[in-house]
Amino acid sequence: MDIDEVQYLSENELISVVPNFKHPEINLIRGSVGPFLPLVPLQVPIWMAIHLKESHRCRFVCPEWLTFDSVQELLRQEQQQETFTPMPNPYVFILSQTIMNVALEDIPNGDQIRLLMKDLWDLRLAKLRSSIGNLARSGALYAKVTHLTQVEICLIRNFLKTSLKHIAQLQDAVPDE
Amino acid sequence: MYEDYFSIDDILSTQERIRCQLLVDIPKLGFLESSSATATLNDEKKDHADEQNFSSLTANTKLELPYWMIYSICNCKTRFASLPELPLIYSRIQRQIFAADASVVDLAKQAAHFYRQGRHLLELNFDEKRQVAMTLLQTYQQRFRSIMDASFHLILSSDHHHHESMKQQTGKFERQEKILLMLGQAAFRDYDRLVNNETKQMLPPKIQGMTTDLTNVLNGGMNRKRKR
C-alpha cells in the first residue's frame, strides 16, 4: 500500500460535524448518513465532512483525540515508554494533517497541536530507526512490533523487506560445518 | 543462484575475471595462456598461428577466466580447474579490515558488486569458504546502520552543505546498498508529498517503456493520476 492509498482509506473514518442546513437521510452503499438538521451534531465520514466544509455548510467538532490535552498526554506516554504506545486511531498523523488543512479554525490551539504532533512523529520515527538497526545488527529471524500507524508501516515496508531479503540470502550462503 | 537470464546485476558481477589453476592438460587451447584481456592474434604472429592454436595448455598453468566459465569447469564431475586464491577483496587481509570497521571501506571503488560476487563465489569449492561467508554477512550488518541513516534523510538539492557530506558518505556504497538507499528515500519522498498536500493533485500519466524494477520503485512515487 502506498501513501496515496493509506490517505484514501483514512478518510473513511467518522467525525462529528454540525451542519447548518436541513436535509433528509442520505443512503450510501456503506450505510446511511442520518438526517441533517441545523445545529445538531452528527457523525459523517471525513471525506463528506471535508466536502461540506469546503462548501461552507458545516462546522467541525474537534474529535476527543485531537484536543491539546490528549495529544500532550500521548506525547508524555510515548516519551516514557521504550516501546510504541497505542494510538487512539490507526490514522492519527494523516487525519490530523487533513483536518487541520481544512478546518484549522475549528480546532482550539491548532498550531500548538501541530507542533506536538510533529514531536510525536519524530519520537516514533527515532524509535523505529533504532529498532530496525538492532534487528539488522543482531540477525534475528523476526521482530515483533506493536502499535504502529499505517503511515509508518508504509514508510519502512519496502526498505525493510529488501534489506531483510539481502540478509537472509547472505545467511543462507554460509555453509554449515 | 542467478536471478534471471537478463539481470544486469548478475551479468556484471559474473564477468569479473578470477585466477584459477588447471588440473589437467587441455589440448588446442594454448593461445589462452598468453592472453589476459584480449585474445586477438597480431599479423606478425599469423605464421605461428597454426602452431599456437594446436598447442596445449599444460596442467598447473594459472589462467584468468571470467567467473561464469569457472563455475562450469570447477564444479562439474571431472574437475578441470581449481581455485588457488580468491580475488583480492575477499582475501584474509581484507577480511581483517572488514572485521575491524566495515563502514569506512570504499566498496564502490574496490568492488562494486561485492555481495553478489561473493555469493557467486561461494558456489565454488575452496577452503576458507565459511570465513568469507561470515565476512559478507557481518560487513552487511555493520554497514546497514549507515545506509539507514542516509536513506531516512531526504537529500534536498537546494541544501548544499548537507548534499556534499551525504554524497561523500553514499559514495562508498556498492550497488546493492545503493538500491536499498533509493528505496528508503522513495518512501520518504512519498511521505513528503503527503505533508505538502501533493497527493491530491491530478497529474498526466507518464508514458513508460520497459523499465527495470529500480526505476519502477522511484517512478511509482512520483506520477500518479488521482480521480476524486
Side-chain angles (χ1 to χ4, degrees):
Chain A
M1 267 213 283
D2 334 292
I3 288 276
D4 301 328
E5 291 173 8
V6 173
Q7 187 183 31
Y8 187 65
L9 289 174
S10 72
E11 292 182 351
N12 215 17
E13 303 279 322
L14 293 175
I15 193 175
S16 268
V17 291
V18 175
N20 57 15
F21 61 100
K22 189 166 170 192
H23 197 281
E25 204 172 337
I26 301 181
N27 292 317
L28 304 171
I29 295 178
R30 282 205 93 186
S32 48
V33 185
F36 291 84
L37 292 171
L39 298 180
V40 172
L42 79 162
Q43 300 256 325
V44 293
I46 290 195
W47 53 269
M48 185 181 274
I50 295 178
H51 186 70
L52 290 176
K53 177 78 184 179
E54 285 178 348
S55 46
H56 302 293
R57 286 163 178 253
C58 78
R59 185 175 60 81
F60 270 39
V61 170
C62 185
E64 321 78 48
W65 50 266
L66 200 53
T67 55
F68 187 68
D69 297 322
S70 55
V71 175
Q72 220 172 23
E73 178 65 26
L74 270 181
L75 187 58
R76 202 178 54 80
Q77 273 182 359
E78 193 79 38
Q79 279 165 344
Q80 281 175 347
Q81 275 193 6
E82 268 195 23
T83 55
F84 296 94
T85 47
M87 293 272 121
N89 192 298
Y91 299 104
V92 197
F93 295 107
I94 292 196
L95 284 186
S96 65
Q97 295 245 331
T98 322
I99 295 179
M100 292 215 240
N101 280 334
V102 172
L104 194 53
E105 59 275 5
D106 291 340
I107 316 281
N109 301 324
D111 292 331
Q112 287 166 326
I113 295 188
R114 209 181 272 225
L115 288 175
L116 283 182
M117 276 285 169
K118 182 142 187 2
D119 285 341
L120 194 61
W121 170 258
D122 289 335
L123 190 55
R124 288 176 73 98
L125 206 62
K127 281 191 197 173
L128 249 185
R129 283 166 63 171
S130 63
S131 73
I132 292 180
N134 284 339
L135 175 62
R137 197 171 278 270
S138 68
L141 281 180
Y142 73 98
K144 188 171 165 199
V145 186
T146 45
H147 305 306
L148 282 182
T149 55
Q150 279 286 358
V151 190
E152 292 157 352
I153 296 179
C154 250
L155 268 188
I156 60 172
R157 181 182 297 123
N158 269 339
F159 184 79
L160 201 58
K161 200 174 61 171
T162 314
S163 64
L164 287 181
K165 180 178 92 169
H166 289 163
I167 293 184
Q169 280 172 345
L170 290 177
Q171 269 178 343
D172 275 344
V174 176
D176 322 303
E177 280 170 24
Chain B
M1 181 191 65
Y2 291 113
E3 252 181 42
D4 62 70
Y5 192 66
F6 289 120
S7 152
I8 295 266
D9 285 333
D10 263 346
I11 295 175
L12 284 179
S13 62
T14 52
Q15 61 105 39
E16 304 269 343
R17 286 171 183 269
I18 301 186
R19 314 198 113 229
C20 67
Q21 189 175 31
L22 291 179
L23 295 175
V24 295
D25 289 345
I26 304 184
K28 294 188 185 175
L29 286 181
F31 63 91
L32 274 181
E33 191 176 351
S34 52
S35 73
S36 57
T38 56
T40 54
L41 303 167
N42 306 352
D43 286 320
E44 305 146 11
K45 290 195 185 165
K46 251 198 180 143
D47 306 327
H48 308 284
D50 294 332
E51 299 163 26
Q52 253 189 339
N53 265 336
F54 294 141
S55 73
S56 57
L57 287 173
T58 49
N60 292 335
T61 20
K62 294 213 173 166
L63 281 182
E64 278 199 354
L65 293 177
Y67 167 84
W68 47 268
M69 191 171 271
I70 293 184
Y71 177 70
S72 317
I73 62 181
C74 282
N75 271 4
C76 57
K77 281 194 186 142
T78 52
R79 284 180 34 184
F80 296 119
S82 73
L83 213 62
E85 65 191 42
L86 297 170
L88 213 53
I89 192 86
Y90 304 101
S91 65
R92 197 164 49 86
I93 303 176
Q94 275 291 83
R95 272 186 267 139
Q96 283 170 350
I97 298 180
F98 281 128
D101 187 357
S103 24
V104 291
V105 182
D106 189 350
L107 279 183
K109 218 173 22 166
Q110 290 184 11
H113 289 94
F114 181 63
Y115 299 110
R116 206 173 261 266
Q117 198 181 0
R119 269 171 50 216
H120 287 146
L121 263 187
L122 286 172
E123 300 278 329
L124 304 174
N125 291 318
F126 54 93
D127 316 322
E128 308 186 341
K129 206 166 166 182
R130 191 179 166 78
Q131 284 96 312
V132 171
M134 292 306 290
T135 305
L136 277 180
L137 182 60
Q138 281 158 359
T139 311
Y140 190 84
Q141 283 175 331
Q142 280 186 21
R143 290 170 76 99
F144 179 77
R145 184 75 211 204
S146 56
I147 307 174
M148 187 170 76
D149 287 339
S151 76
F152 280 11
H153 283 111
L154 271 190
I155 298 182
L156 302 163
S157 47
S158 52
D159 191 358
H160 281 292
H161 276 309
H162 219 54
H163 201 40
E164 283 309 313
S165 66
M166 275 292 172
K167 240 187 176 175
Q168 206 186 34
Q169 214 181 8
T170 57
K172 294 195 194 130
F173 292 159
E174 55 107 67
R175 180 139 175 87
Q176 224 177 28
E177 295 167 344
K178 276 199 186 121
I179 292 180
L180 204 58
L181 179 78
M182 288 205 245
L183 278 179
Q185 284 203 341
F188 267 79
R189 217 170 273 143
D190 257 354
Y191 180 69
D192 229 28
R193 279 177 57 233
L194 178 74
V195 167
N196 297 337
N197 254 339
E198 288 168 27
T199 44
K200 297 203 180 168
Q201 289 175 1
M202 292 209 315
L203 299 167
K206 186 170 175 191
I207 300 176
Q208 298 179 3
M210 299 276 287
T211 53
T212 63
D213 297 337
L214 185 58
T215 41
N216 272 339
V217 159
L218 293 180
N219 287 338
M222 302 234 247
N223 292 319
R224 259 317 147 74
K225 189 171 177 183
R226 268 292 291 274
K227 284 194 182 140
R228 291 248 34 198

